[in-house]
Amino acid sequence: MSDSAPALLTATDLVVAFNDRVILDSATLALHEGDCVGLVGRNGTGKSTFLKVLAGLHTPDSGEVAARRGLVISYLSQEFTLDPTKNVLENIRDGASHVRGLIKEFESLPAESKRHEELEERIAQLDGWNLDNRIETAMSHIGTPPGDREITSLSGGEKRRVAMCRTLVSRPDLLILDEPTNHLDPESIEWVAEFLENFGGAFLVVTHDRWFLDRVTKLTVELAEGRFFSYEGGYSEYLLAKAERQRAEAVVEHKRQMFLEKELAWVRQGPRAQRSKQKNRFERYYETAAQAGPPVEEDMELVIPPPPPLGNRVVELNNLGIEFGGRTLFRNFDFIFENGQRIGVAGRNGVGKTSLLKAIIGDLQPSEGTAKTGQLTKFNYVDQSRLQLREDRTVIDEVSDGTEFVIWGDGKLSLRAYLKRFLFTDDRINLQVKYLSGGERSRLLLARILKQGGNFLILDEPTNDLDLNTLRVLEEALIAFPGVVLVVSHDRYFLNRVCTGILAFEGDERIAYSVGNYDYYLEKKRRASAPISGARESEAGWSAKNAAPTSLSLGARPANKGRKLSFKETRELDGMEAEILKVEQEIGRIENLFAEPDFHKTHATQTNALVSDLATQKEKLNQLFSRWTELEALKAASGA
């Protein structure tokens, strides 16, 4: 946090409680000019409530929020509202109402007035003269419906994108964003990230998108136990720093327990003399015993029901194509699913990702080609509509669907035993959904989704409503799942951790397959389309005599061939993808260790070694990508 910069807004000793549950407990946080802050914490800890307090939409039980005079705040909430009497463009323009108000006042004043000059300068600072162009650019990149569409005709996702666009075009002093990446595709998320990187004001963002946090934030604030804990850096740096903090707390707690154990033996002796020194010793013992130890973060034991075995044929797609509304989504798609694969599906909204899933399970007849399913293949398809909970039903009723057991391999598991794996105690199992916290809702969703079993698990946008801890547990369960996983997601961090391959909708009616995670797919795509620069030629050791033209793209045949790859270099290039994947998996393994709630208990003595190993592996990955570029460039230059 930029403590040296002027403060924009300060929240001091905030207390917020709902019934007997304290959300904010004398919490204090200051936001300064230029701050790029990510707010994290489990669902139900009060993140959205805190944002509403900052935005002036919720009054705390005690404490105060002080804002700089004239501060302009733009707030995107999860429960946003749009004006149904206005169309898309009019709603978006309302986001810049303060700028439009200044322009209107400017135009009403005589040019020679002092106020006219002041307004002109202020409007220029807000880039107000370029407002219409900025709105058009934002609408294009975020993917809003056309400006003349009526709000009442929009879907929930379309309304969300309109609200997001309305928030960004305002150019405020402080942006407060609650889950800004929901319902945005990867390209739109990339644009929003670039927008925030170039944003002149400060922002505070709550999101479960860990890639987004790493990309845009410079300070991570965790809300836990009603208080704020600040860490320099993005999400990855936060995990490392939190693990170190927990390790230090564990050392202090160990010393406290050792002291209590020693003093307890003395107290039990019951010394007869009650001299002052002994009284002080008693007081120190009882004071230390009354102190609370560091909070223990519980995580659920998420285990997906063991699937039945798969046959030799899982699913085979042959020349598959789908048309919808007179438009061809994709065609000529061939793919064979194999046991053990975890495939991510990525692409812009509306390109046909969900249609592909429905064609695979047989719910949608393809326009051309076939989808053949093996006799032993059993689907568990979780679409976006199934991620809704019914408020008036109890926890156990939401999961039961009329049954008292969950099929567990060759046996059965009672629903109560199953729910306890998701941290539902006996007193919470019969509670109505409307009384659950955000974290409990996330766990209940997973419990209902995963009880269906199956050996081919299909998830359509599973990450939107899950907190970071629950996401991590789901990722680990999917990685350990001994069947096939097919998941549609815009969460890059999730795709990177879980997937062994990516099906990417790249436009032009085609789907491309890439082995490896999502970042690896993007890197290969970028390098395949990038021109071979003079710097890259030099890196590859080419001479000016046989260098390819600088406009040449990787994979194109050059006019003058360079030297061919040697046999050893060819073997090295062939094994490069596997080596990169191996290093990426090791990086993921170490980062997962830091994310474990009990890291300080199980790995405290290894912290420094793990940090060093993580840095080594990341450097090794950079070297591998550099070498891969070099070999691919040589291969392209030789015309091979």
Side-chain angles (χ1 to χ4, degrees):
M1 190 169 295
S2 308
D3 291 333
S4 59
L8 296 176
L9 184 147
T10 303
T12 307
D13 293 330
L14 296 183
V15 174
V16 174
F18 296 114
N19 298 323
D20 59 343
R21 192 160 63 97
V22 177
I23 300 297
L24 298 175
D25 187 8
S26 298
T28 297
L29 185 68
L31 297 174
H32 300 78
E33 289 184 359
D35 275 352
C36 307
V37 183
L39 179 62
V40 301
R42 290 175 178 263
N43 280 351
T45 56
K47 300 187 299 297
S48 292
T49 299
F50 174 64
L51 298 192
K52 291 177 182 177
V53 170
L54 293 186
L57 301 178
H58 184 93
T59 303
D61 299 323
S62 64
E64 64 175 6
V65 176
R68 188 180 72 182
R69 184 178 180 182
L71 181 71
V72 178
I73 297 176
S74 187
Y75 170 49
L76 174 70
S77 70
Q78 293 194 52
E79 303 87 21
F80 60 88
T81 57
L82 299 173
D83 189 339
T85 66
K86 298 180 179 180
N87 62 25
V88 167
L89 180 59
E90 289 168 339
N91 269 276
I92 292 173
R93 286 176 64 84
D94 281 349
S97 58
H98 65 291
V99 178
R100 295 169 60 206
L102 294 176
I103 294 175
K104 184 177 181 180
E105 183 183 357
F106 171 84
E107 292 174 343
S108 68
L109 294 174
E112 63 274 9
S113 70
K114 183 178 180 181
R115 177 61 176 166
H116 188 277
E117 183 179 344
E118 293 173 350
L119 287 172
E120 184 175 18
E121 183 178 348
R122 179 58 177 157
I123 293 169
Q125 290 174 349
L126 295 171
D127 197 20
W129 307 120
N130 196 36
L131 178 61
D132 289 338
N133 287 336
R134 289 196 288 108
I135 289 176
E136 183 179 345
T137 299
M139 290 177 66
S140 172
H141 284 91
I142 293 178
T144 65
D148 58 357
R149 281 276 301 275
E150 296 300 322
I151 294 299
T152 53
S153 70
L154 304 184
S155 67
E158 289 174 326
K159 290 179 180 178
R160 177 77 182 178
R161 292 194 289 276
V162 172
M164 180 66 184
C165 194
R166 180 183 64 179
T167 304
L168 295 185
V169 300
S170 62
R171 287 291 177 93
D173 302 308
L174 174 62
L175 267 174
I176 301 177
L177 305 173
D178 197 352
E179 295 296 348
T181 63
N182 278 4
H183 300 289
L184 297 185
D185 54 40
E187 288 81 0
S188 298
I189 294 173
E190 177 80 30
W191 183 83
V192 173
E194 290 179 359
F195 176 91
L196 291 179
E197 285 177 330
N198 297 314
F199 178 58
F203 65 82
L204 174 65
V205 58
V206 170
T207 179
H208 297 150
D209 189 324
R210 293 153 291 180
W211 173 87
F212 189 80
L213 285 171
D214 266 338
R215 172 74 181 267
V216 305
T217 60
K218 298 178 182 177
L219 179 82
T220 301
V221 176
E222 181 184 23
L223 177 55
E225 306 295 323
R227 296 179 298 141
F228 294 114
F229 299 89
S230 297
Y231 304 86
E232 292 294 331
Y235 181 75
S236 296
E237 289 85 356
Y238 148 72
L239 288 179
L240 294 172
K242 181 181 178 181
E244 181 61 29
R245 176 175 68 83
Q246 290 178 325
R247 185 195 68 79
E249 288 176 346
V251 171
V252 173
E253 176 63 10
H254 177 70
K255 291 180 178 179
R256 187 176 75 94
Q257 293 297 334
M258 292 290 290
F259 170 80
L260 290 176
E261 184 178 340
K262 177 183 175 182
E263 292 299 290
L264 182 61
W266 178 83
V267 169
R268 284 173 174 170
Q269 292 176 3
R272 297 175 183 175
Q274 296 296 312
R275 292 178 301 198
S276 174
K277 185 175 181 180
Q278 291 171 327
K279 288 182 179 179
N280 290 339
R281 190 168 178 178
F282 270 112
E283 290 172 358
R284 284 199 310 274
Y285 168 77
Y286 288 117
E287 181 182 339
T288 305
Q291 295 173 359
V296 178
E297 294 184 357
E298 284 190 292
D299 260 328
M300 58 185 160
E301 178 196 356
L302 178 56
V303 180
I304 300 175
L310 283 161
N312 291 330
R313 172 188 281 177
V314 180
V315 173
E316 293 183 8
L317 308 180
N318 298 297
N319 197 39
L320 197 70
I322 292 179
E323 292 183 5
F324 187 79
R327 181 168 66 95
T328 300
L329 299 177
F330 60 87
R331 61 190 312 172
N332 301 324
F333 181 54
D334 298 308
F335 194 78
I336 298 175
F337 288 95
E338 299 177 352
N339 192 11
Q341 287 181 323
R342 300 188 299 276
I343 305 297
V345 183
R348 300 209 69 156
N349 292 324
V351 294
K353 301 187 296 295
T354 299
S355 297
L356 172 63
L357 303 188
K358 291 183 176 180
I360 290 173
I361 65 175
D363 280 2
L364 178 65
Q365 183 66 32
S367 306
E368 62 182 32
T370 59
K372 299 178 181 179
T373 303
Q375 291 184 347
L376 298 181
T377 301
K378 181 183 177 183
F379 295 110
N380 181 358
Y381 175 50
V382 183
D383 64 20
Q384 296 180 49
S385 64
R386 284 179 60 188
L387 298 178
Q388 302 298 320
L389 295 172
R390 290 157 287 191
E391 297 288 311
D392 293 330
R393 300 189 69 176
T394 64
V395 169
I396 196 166
D397 288 341
E398 269 293 84
V399 177
S400 69
D401 293 327
T403 63
E404 296 183 2
F405 297 93
V406 175
I407 301 299
W408 203 263
D410 296 330
K412 294 181 179 180
L413 187 69
S414 73
L415 278 179
R416 288 186 175 272
Y418 176 68
L419 285 168
K420 285 182 179 179
R421 290 173 176 259
F422 292 81
L423 297 184
F424 285 103
T425 56
D426 288 328
D427 63 315
R428 307 295 286 179
I429 285 176
N430 292 315
L431 201 64
Q432 285 183 310
V433 170
K434 60 185 176 183
Y435 297 116
L436 298 181
S437 68
E440 288 173 323
R441 287 170 177 262
S442 293
R443 299 199 300 272
L444 180 57
L445 279 171
L446 283 179
R448 194 179 71 185
I449 289 168
L450 299 176
K451 70 177 282 284
Q452 304 301 324
N455 49 28
F456 196 121
L457 184 59
I458 301 178
L459 304 174
D460 193 354
E461 290 290 356
T463 65
N464 280 349
D465 298 309
L466 305 182
D467 61 29
L468 297 178
N469 297 76
T470 307
L471 273 174
R472 181 181 58 79
V473 177
L474 173 62
E475 289 162 354
E476 291 173 356
L478 293 178
I479 290 170
F481 182 66
V484 176
V485 175
L486 182 63
V487 57
V488 173
S489 180
H490 296 152
D491 188 327
R492 284 175 62 161
Y493 198 101
F494 180 86
L495 293 175
N496 285 335
R497 277 204 66 192
V498 170
C499 296
T500 60
I502 298 295
L503 291 176
F505 284 70
E506 296 187 330
D508 297 326
E509 303 176 357
R510 80 184 200 95
I511 305 174
Y513 176 65
S514 171
V515 175
N517 64 23
Y518 189 70
D519 276 355
Y520 186 43
Y521 155 72
L522 289 179
E523 182 67 19
K524 287 199 297 184
K525 182 180 178 182
R526 183 183 69 81
R527 292 174 185 268
S529 61
I532 300 177
S533 65
R536 192 171 293 176
E537 294 167 9
S538 175
E539 180 183 353
W542 299 346
S543 66
K545 177 181 178 181
N546 55 20
T550 57
S551 61
L552 179 68
S553 295
L554 289 176
R557 186 174 297 275
N560 297 311
K561 295 182 180 180
R563 74 170 179 86
K564 292 185 177 181
L565 293 176
S566 68
F567 176 76
K568 182 178 179 181
E569 288 171 333
T570 301
R571 292 286 300 274
E572 182 183 0
L573 181 59
D574 289 342
M576 193 67 76
E577 287 195 12
E579 184 66 19
I580 288 174
L581 286 175
K582 182 179 177 181
V583 175
E584 286 181 332
Q585 288 170 355
E586 178 62 12
I587 290 173
R589 183 190 70 82
I590 298 173
E591 289 179 338
N592 293 343
L593 289 178
F594 284 115
E596 291 178 358
D598 59 348
F599 174 86
H600 64 283
K601 292 182 180 178
T602 55
H603 303 287
T605 59
Q606 300 173 271
T607 300
N608 293 335
L610 286 170
V611 170
S612 176
D613 193 17
L614 181 62
T616 299
Q617 293 298 325
K618 287 185 175 181
E619 177 60 27
K620 184 177 180 180
L621 184 63
N622 289 334
Q623 293 174 356
L624 283 170
F625 272 128
S626 178
R627 178 60 174 163
W628 181 45
T629 301
E630 179 182 334
L631 294 176
E632 284 285 4
L634 282 171
K635 181 180 178 181
S638 67

